[in-house]
Amino acid sequence: MSTAIKETQKLIEEVLDAYPEKAKKDRAKHLAANDPSGQCSTCQVKSNIKSRPGVMTVRGCAYAGAKGVVWGPVKDQITISHGPIGCGQYSWWARRNYYNGQTGIDTFGTMHITTDFQEKDIVYGGDKNLHAALHELKELFPLAKSMGILSECPVGLIGDDIEAVSKKAAKELGIPIVPVRCEGFRGVSQSLGHHIANDTIRDYILGKGKLEKTTPYDVALIGDYNIGGDAWASRKMLEEMGLRVIAQWTGDASINEMGIAHKAKLNLIHCYRSMNYICRHMEETYGIPWVEFNFFGPTKIYQSLRKIASYFDDRIKENAEKMIEKYKPVMDAVVEQYKPRLEGKKVMLYVGGLRPRHTIGAYEDLGMEVVASGYEFGHNDDYKRTYPEMKEGAVIMDDATLYELEEFTRRLRPDMVGSGIKEKYSYHKMGVPFRQMHSWDYSGPYHGFDGFPVFARDMDMTVNSPTWDLIRRKR
Amino acid sequence: MKLLKIRDHNELFQEQEYCEQFEKKREFEDPWPAEKVNEVAEWTKTEEYKELNFKRQNIKINPAKACQPLGAVFCASGFEGTMPFVQGAQGCVAYFRSHLNRHFKEPFAAISTSMTEDAAVFGGLNNMLEGLENAYTLYHPKMLAVSTTCMAEVIGDDLNAYIRTAREKGVIPKDLPVPFAHTPSFVGSYINGYDNMMKGILSTITAGKKGEAHQKIGGKINIIPGFDTYTGDYHEIKRMLKIMGVDFTLLSDVSDIFDSPNTGEYKLYPGGTPLVDAADSINAKATVALQKYSTLKTMDYIKKEWNQQTLVLPPIGVKNTDAFFDGVSKITGKPIPKEIEDERGRAVDAMIDSHPYVHGKRFALVGDPDLLLGLISFLMEMGGVPVHIVCTMGDKKFEEDAYNLLSGSPFGAEGKVYIGKDMWHLRSLMFTEPVDFLIGNSYAKFLWRDTGTPLIRIGFPLFDRHHLHRYPIIGYQGVINLVNWVVNTVLDEMDRKTINTTSFDVIR
């Protein structure tokens, strides 16, 4: 075992010391020193396991994964938060899944629609009101293409039969009604919600859309939620390559696109964690291959363009090379401008499904080093993909707590931290430059050739803002 | 070196190549024809649509409402060294935290017991025990204030028994205060959650502390701010009472929690009401609440159990602030100092200077019950006309209070109060009966976009503008801020509308 690994292990042990015995034993399994080779047996973290009560996990719930992540962005579906008022309120237009359309008329993405459960619904059940609500919504929003019922905790606890209501209402209203059993107490994090949402796409929507003709270049862009326009920046590149993006899931997605992805020749998956399930299903059922790719930062973009092109004929391969040739000078100019300002800076990441590994290359393009990274709701396969991307001895964290993030920050002294809104302001108080890496801190896109310049600008303004120097008064 | 021009989403997606991409993408979207979309869009602006919209009984669309535990964790955080501790599923706490983070742009810590399927079957006792032990050991609170999510409520977790068991098993010290409140999300809203938690904390922390009351002249009074999300208000109430020389305890003082100075150090517990003072609140001479609807149960409890004088004196607008100072002066025997009178004079002066731009202007308002009552009163004092008043969290009592208030002024004659209604109802109202200005939270910006009615951001949550919550809206200073926001929105709009006309005045 190398010194780097040993040192990090010692650091982790020190951090763990503050926990009570039981929690300490558990948390020890989720923190590790990185071994890129995968040889060291103690360097693998355990993941996708229940959070300990009381430790202040950053995680959310299945509803957040199903409504907030997967179904919420589908623009021409009415997504109903079924249950009490809060869940829909707190997740209302919080993820910036951009879309085109006229909100409230033919699209509904920025709306908060809820059955607002009252005590009587808990006592007598909410099915009757839900059925009536579906009818009311269809009257008020005649252009809705579908309705999704996203269950909150009580729905599952009181034994409501939303599947039966959906079936009945779908027949009456002539549009798909999708019951999603994503009650927040199910599973251990957002992750199960992704899976449940994938299954409902499979069962209620996939295979039912209209597509007049197909071409050998048809692809589906999967697991890009168009945060700050990411999917649009990615789509632009795929189209420039000569591919035809027949479906974009689920950022700016229409129900029709959700229904025709099975006609693609290849599924391109960006967020593996949240949508690998449906790709596997399409592979098994329709024989569609899928490929993971990474459009963060020029190095990974070039690799990904070539990887995607390898599935197609020479024309596409040539196009990919032409694009690299065309955009390389633009990317080089970005690096030339920002690298001198960011070179050698240390980054700590703690994010969601793909960014803890996918953004590493983009940071490295700017000369920065990711010294710690972790996932709120990653699984073993995510970590397996992460280890080789990071240096030996880097800290790997699974389901980190507020306490751990603070302690690791103190000890590793990163020059910037990329995490979520719940972490953001404690880092501001600590005087540690911080960037939200879920929502791009209201910026973006970060994907693709159009996204990297924005990424570079944002990391520079984060690390090099003069405001950090004001905290400690110079005397 | 020439700096690169970086284009982010604000510019990028208006460029031609992206517009063409969007157009091309429609091929796969199976979109409705543009004429059909326009036809429906126009239909939603009609009287017919309004009637249909107001007929719905079973669904809320863009409500101004959130659930009880949000109010509970907010209330709990305002006490010294107190960790809000929520028994239930963990996603809820992630949501409460991010919701408050986004409004205040401040950190907010709260604990969840991370209940999952097994807890749904066996109950949440184990989660509570381990949660208390971990939270206490890791975060060293002086008090753990327990509230619940709907999960714990539906399965019927017995908080009292669980906490007792925790003490018996020694997972937390015997003397650690662990107040609790049942805060089901399917009853009421965050104003009730605030109320329930406040009552829970006060009843726990004052137990056995009844001693000699501060009955003497100048004796101590309690102030309960209610679910007030303006940190400026907390600083303001303290400043005002200090000037007046009143000895007081501010119960749930969140000013330091949500407005802590940046020192380069993150403090988990940056302030709050000292627990000693909170414990002594039972001995105060009187308790004054600055909101009515978020303190109903607490005030009833204080009156009945503590036998204390209780007053509800919400100080938004001139007359309400007058009543506040008169009330405080009466119970404390302290005269209203000249400094305060001068502030009143300045606020009135500001209103008089700006009145021509507000007089006769018609307003739609959406928000929390107490805030709405304050704003209606203030607008009418300036000659403004409240027209549509939407209160998703309002009840019959609020409706009555609001109509009583409106009927007291000729400017209130047009005002209609809509309890339990939401912003989609308000959209219909604003199309069928347009108004000049809209007052609401950040989500009301969609109404601005749809109807073109300028939005004055007052309320909660305010996510898309920075620092508004740092300015007080209570007291005479609050009046000046309200005048500022209202009149300058009127003037901005006037400039926008006259930009290419001769009326583009520079002096107003």
Side-chain angles (χ1 to χ4, degrees):
Chain A
M1 201 181 290
S2 77
T3 338
I5 291 179
K6 274 188 203 149
E7 272 175 21
T8 304
Q9 284 179 337
K10 190 168 159 273
L11 183 146
I12 290 170
E13 273 167 39
E14 285 167 16
V15 170
L16 284 168
D17 252 355
Y19 279 100
E21 214 41 54
K22 190 176 168 195
K24 183 178 180 176
K25 215 173 134 191
D26 178 85
R27 288 305 306 153
K29 299 175 194 159
H30 298 267
L31 304 170
N34 188 48
D35 168 30
S37 71
Q39 301 294 310
C40 142
S41 60
T42 52
C43 298
Q44 318 273 320
V45 292
K46 288 262 187 284
S47 57
N48 196 31
I49 298 172
K50 268 195 284 188
S51 306
R52 299 317 322 165
V55 295
M56 215 176 323
T57 171
V58 177
R59 280 175 170 176
C61 62
Y63 165 89
K67 189 267 188 181
V69 176
V70 179
W71 271 117
V74 178
K75 62 180 176 179
D76 52 2
Q77 157 163 287
I78 291 178
T79 301
I80 303 164
S81 295
H82 184 43
I85 192 84
C87 316
Q89 178 76 35
Y90 309 127
S91 56
W92 186 359
W93 193 221
R95 276 177 57 84
R96 303 177 62 238
N97 314 105
Y98 287 178
Y99 64 94
N100 288 306
Q102 207 171 328
T103 299
I105 311 300
D106 64 348
T107 47
F108 311 93
T110 60
M111 295 172 75
H112 163 30
I113 296 174
T114 174
T115 42
D116 186 17
F117 259 32
Q118 299 300 300
E119 199 147 24
K120 64 174 173 29
D121 299 301
I122 304 295
V123 178
Y124 301 111
D127 284 344
K128 219 176 129 190
N129 289 3
L130 173 64
H131 180 256
L134 293 168
H135 277 265
E136 288 175 352
L137 286 169
K138 187 68 174 59
E139 268 193 87
L140 289 171
F141 305 106
L143 303 187
K145 290 288 183 62
S146 159
M147 289 195 247
I149 302 162
L150 284 285
S151 304
E152 300 167 12
C153 289
V155 175
L157 295 169
I158 61 175
D160 272 8
D161 189 355
I162 59 167
E163 287 79 8
V165 176
S166 300
K167 206 172 160 187
K168 186 163 174 251
K171 217 174 261 172
E172 292 159 353
L173 299 173
I175 54 170
I177 311 282
V178 187
V180 190
R181 285 283 182 184
C182 56
E183 288 89 345
F185 62 82
R186 294 190 197 278
V188 303
S189 68
Q190 291 93 313
S191 185
L192 187 64
H194 304 144
H195 197 153
I196 292 166
N198 276 233
D199 289 352
T200 53
I201 293 169
R202 178 196 65 201
D203 294 344
Y204 290 86
I205 305 293
L206 188 67
K208 298 187 172 76
K210 290 188 284 191
L211 182 69
E212 280 180 10
K213 56 159 190 157
T214 58
T215 78
Y217 304 109
D218 290 0
V219 295
L221 176 54
I222 308 279
D224 191 327
Y225 301 105
N226 205 29
I227 291 165
D230 277 341
W232 291 334
S234 300
R235 184 184 189 100
K236 184 180 153 189
M237 291 168 54
L238 298 170
E239 289 184 346
E240 193 172 342
M241 262 175 103
L243 300 176
R244 182 171 176 253
V245 183
I246 63 163
Q248 189 178 303
W249 286 19
T250 59
D252 193 34
S254 56
I255 281 291
N256 195 58
E257 288 166 80
M258 304 300 291
I260 58 176
H262 64 295
K263 296 195 176 173
K265 300 293 181 294
L266 178 67
N267 275 328
L268 305 172
I269 182 161
H270 207 248
C271 181
Y272 168 85
R273 178 73 276 124
S274 60
M275 293 209 95
N276 75 84
Y277 317 100
I278 198 80
C279 290
R280 290 177 199 280
H281 167 73
M282 284 192 262
E283 184 177 41
E284 285 160 18
T285 311
Y286 304 99
I288 305 170
W290 51 277
V291 59
E292 292 176 61
F293 69 103
N294 178 350
F295 275 175
F296 287 103
T299 305
K300 295 292 177 188
I301 293 176
Y302 304 152
Q303 282 173 14
S304 293
L305 286 176
R306 288 180 173 129
K307 188 168 161 192
I308 293 167
S310 74
Y311 286 79
F312 295 93
D313 57 23
D314 287 348
R315 186 173 74 90
I316 303 294
K317 286 178 193 140
E318 278 161 28
N319 284 349
E321 292 307 321
K322 273 188 215 155
M323 281 173 74
I324 294 169
E325 206 176 313
K326 177 178 157 192
Y327 288 101
K328 194 168 180 303
V330 185
M331 295 299 103
D332 288 349
V334 172
V335 171
E336 195 187 337
Q337 177 162 315
Y338 291 107
K339 195 170 176 176
R341 304 169 58 78
L342 295 168
E343 182 109 59
K345 301 288 184 193
K346 292 189 289 181
V347 183
M348 178 166 130
L349 295 175
Y350 181 66
V351 213
L354 81 156
R355 289 149 185 180
R357 65 173 177 275
H358 264 39
T359 58
I360 294 171
Y363 283 111
E364 287 175 351
D365 285 335
L366 295 169
M368 303 167 84
E369 187 197 348
V370 179
V371 295
S373 192
Y375 297 81
E376 271 182 46
F377 47 79
H379 295 206
N380 196 26
D381 45 6
D382 293 303
Y383 288 100
K384 282 228 159 87
R385 287 161 167 79
T386 310
Y387 302 137
E389 300 289 329
M390 304 202 37
K391 281 211 175 130
E392 194 169 67
V395 174
I396 306 282
M397 316 170 271
D398 176 68
D399 185 20
T401 64
L402 173 73
Y403 161 77
E404 288 163 15
L405 291 170
E406 217 189 309
E407 282 302 310
F408 285 129
T409 306
R410 273 201 193 113
R411 288 154 200 266
L412 298 171
R413 307 187 72 84
D415 297 291
M416 72 161 280
V417 172
S419 191
I421 186 73
K422 298 192 288 298
E423 293 69 61
K424 174 170 175 157
Y425 299 105
S426 45
Y427 281 103
H428 281 190
K429 298 290 182 203
M430 283 186 240
V432 177
F434 183 93
R435 195 83 199 167
Q436 281 188 75
M437 292 302 282
H438 296 265
S439 68
W440 304 151
D441 239 312
Y442 322 117
S443 177
Y446 282 178
H447 289 177
F449 291 129
D450 281 344
F452 182 64
V454 184
F455 175 85
R457 176 199 69 180
D458 290 354
M459 297 313 136
D460 173 42
M461 75 164 81
T462 302
V463 172
N464 295 312
S465 165
T467 55
W468 304 116
D469 295 334
L470 299 171
I471 295 173
R472 281 172 200 86
R473 194 164 160 192
K474 310 267 187 302
R475 289 178 199 272
Chain B
M1 190 175 76
K2 194 167 161 273
L3 285 181
L4 297 170
K5 162 101 178 100
I6 309 285
R7 298 158 307 159
D8 62 21
H9 61 93
N10 292 293
E11 294 170 87
L12 213 47
F13 301 123
Q14 296 183 38
E15 286 178 2
Q16 201 188 335
E17 50 186 340
Y18 276 104
C19 293
E20 283 167 10
Q21 175 188 310
F22 300 152
E23 200 45 51
K24 259 174 67 189
K25 181 174 178 291
R26 285 169 62 83
E27 181 191 345
F28 309 103
E29 293 181 347
D30 185 27
W32 294 97
E35 314 82 69
K36 181 81 187 157
V37 176
N38 288 337
E39 184 195 312
V40 173
E42 286 309 310
W43 171 61
T44 64
K45 301 174 186 172
T46 61
E47 194 69 40
E48 180 195 337
Y49 188 86
K50 185 184 103 180
E51 272 174 37
L52 196 62
N53 193 5
F54 272 78
K55 249 176 41 197
R56 73 182 142 95
Q57 296 287 324
N58 299 286
I59 196 83
K60 292 254 180 355
I61 305 169
N62 299 351
K65 179 181 175 186
C67 63
Q68 277 215 57
L70 178 77
V73 298
F74 177 81
C75 173
S77 74
F79 289 87
E80 175 197 356
T82 300
M83 179 65 83
F85 182 101
V86 187
Q87 170 81 343
Q90 76 196 4
C92 313
V93 172
Y95 277 148
F96 308 147
R97 292 178 68 200
S98 54
H99 205 65
L100 295 167
N101 295 146
R102 287 175 178 135
H103 175 82
F104 292 106
K105 321 291 180 205
E106 290 288 314
F108 182 75
I111 290 283
S112 167
T113 56
S114 298
M115 281 163 64
T116 55
E117 277 125 325
D118 51 345
V121 179
F122 302 111
L125 175 62
N126 289 337
N127 294 72
M128 173 77 102
L129 293 179
E130 194 186 336
L132 288 171
E133 184 184 16
N134 285 338
Y136 181 75
T137 314
L138 214 48
Y139 297 112
H140 317 294
K142 290 185 178 159
M143 177 157 86
L144 280 159
V146 181
S147 52
T148 51
T149 77
C150 46
M151 182 188 183
E153 289 299 324
V154 172
I155 65 173
D157 275 355
D158 185 345
L159 298 182
N160 198 14
Y162 288 6
I163 295 165
R164 200 171 53 232
T165 308
R167 286 194 209 283
E168 281 162 7
K169 285 185 180 277
V171 299
I172 44 166
K174 289 242 175 329
D175 57 349
L176 181 80
V178 187
F180 66 90
H182 289 279
T183 51
S185 310
F186 45 82
V187 177
S189 65
Y190 54 71
I191 54 177
N192 309 97
Y194 180 96
D195 197 6
N196 287 331
M197 192 77 251
M198 181 63 86
K199 188 183 159 199
I201 289 173
L202 292 182
S203 55
T204 299
I205 205 159
T206 63
K209 303 283 180 187
K210 185 89 180 167
E212 200 181 327
H214 300 268
Q215 288 302 343
K216 58 184 186 300
I217 299 266
K220 211 168 183 176
I221 61 166
N222 301 316
I223 303 284
I224 301 181
F227 190 88
D228 183 343
T229 51
Y230 283 83
T231 51
D233 283 352
Y234 296 79
H235 297 301
E236 186 62 9
I237 190 78
K238 288 190 270 193
R239 191 188 66 88
M240 294 190 309
L241 293 175
K242 220 165 159 184
I243 291 171
M244 212 169 155
V246 172
D247 194 5
F248 66 96
T249 300
L250 187 57
L251 293 168
S252 184
D253 178 3
V254 300
S255 58
D256 289 335
I257 315 305
F258 292 109
D259 194 12
S260 67
N262 196 317
T263 58
E265 190 192 345
Y266 168 55
K267 295 193 186 87
L268 192 53
Y269 307 105
T273 309
L275 295 187
V276 185
D277 294 349
D280 192 39
S281 62
I282 194 170
N283 299 315
K285 186 175 176 156
T287 296
V288 177
L290 307 185
Q291 289 185 352
K292 175 179 171 181
Y293 290 95
S294 60
T295 62
L296 289 167
K297 279 190 184 167
T298 303
M299 292 299 267
D300 187 55
Y301 158 80
I302 289 174
K303 194 173 172 178
K304 286 185 183 144
E305 304 289 324
W306 295 1
N307 291 316
Q308 226 176 64
Q309 192 185 350
T310 55
L311 292 97
V312 181
L313 300 168
I316 297 180
V318 172
K319 287 174 193 162
N320 283 336
T321 304
D322 290 349
F324 169 80
F325 279 112
D326 288 346
V328 172
S329 176
K330 205 169 155 200
I331 43 169
T332 60
K334 302 262 183 185
I336 301 168
K338 179 164 181 307
E339 205 176 331
I340 296 287
E341 294 288 2
D342 285 350
E343 284 185 15
R344 183 184 192 280
R346 282 185 207 108
V348 172
D349 196 50
M351 291 169 79
I352 290 170
D353 294 346
S354 300
H355 81 270
Y357 298 100
V358 181
H359 190 103
K361 291 283 186 298
R362 301 167 78 252
F363 290 82
L365 299 101
V366 54
D368 297 5
D370 284 289
L371 179 68
L372 285 175
L373 291 175
L375 291 175
I376 293 168
S377 178
F378 162 75
L379 284 177
M380 296 195 307
E381 286 172 350
M382 274 200 88
V385 181
V387 178
H388 311 304
I389 298 144
V390 172
C391 189
T392 315
M393 310 195 299
D395 57 10
K396 282 273 168 208
K397 189 78 195 72
F398 164 78
E399 189 180 32
E400 199 185 311
D401 280 353
Y403 276 122
N404 281 341
L405 179 61
L406 289 163
S407 66
S409 161
F411 296 95
E414 272 195 77
K416 266 202 180 151
V417 183
Y418 301 91
I419 53 166
K421 300 299 181 206
D422 51 48
M423 286 192 248
W424 197 254
H425 290 114
L426 184 53
R427 184 180 184 272
S428 277
L429 292 170
M430 289 171 70
F431 274 125
T432 52
E433 213 184 317
V435 292
D436 300 307
F437 293 92
L438 165 66
I439 295 180
N441 66 24
S442 287
Y443 287 102
K445 78 191 286 180
F446 295 113
L447 291 169
W448 168 62
R449 183 172 71 180
D450 284 4
T451 68
T453 315
L455 169 65
I456 302 161
R457 285 170 176 76
I458 304 171
F460 172 79
L462 298 172
F463 290 160
D464 67 335
R465 292 293 183 273
H466 288 203
H467 311 305
L468 291 177
H469 67 277
R470 292 180 193 270
Y471 296 85
I473 60 166
I474 62 164
Y476 301 121
Q477 197 56 49
V479 168
I480 293 178
N481 289 327
L482 292 174
V483 173
N484 177 17
W485 292 331
V486 172
V487 78
N488 286 323
T489 306
V490 174
L491 295 175
D492 279 345
E493 184 63 9
M494 203 178 265
D495 279 349
R496 225 170 272 130
K497 281 197 170 148
T498 60
I499 191 158
N500 290 317
T501 75
T502 50
S503 307
F504 194 61
D505 282 330
V506 83
I507 305 166
R508 279 178 170 143

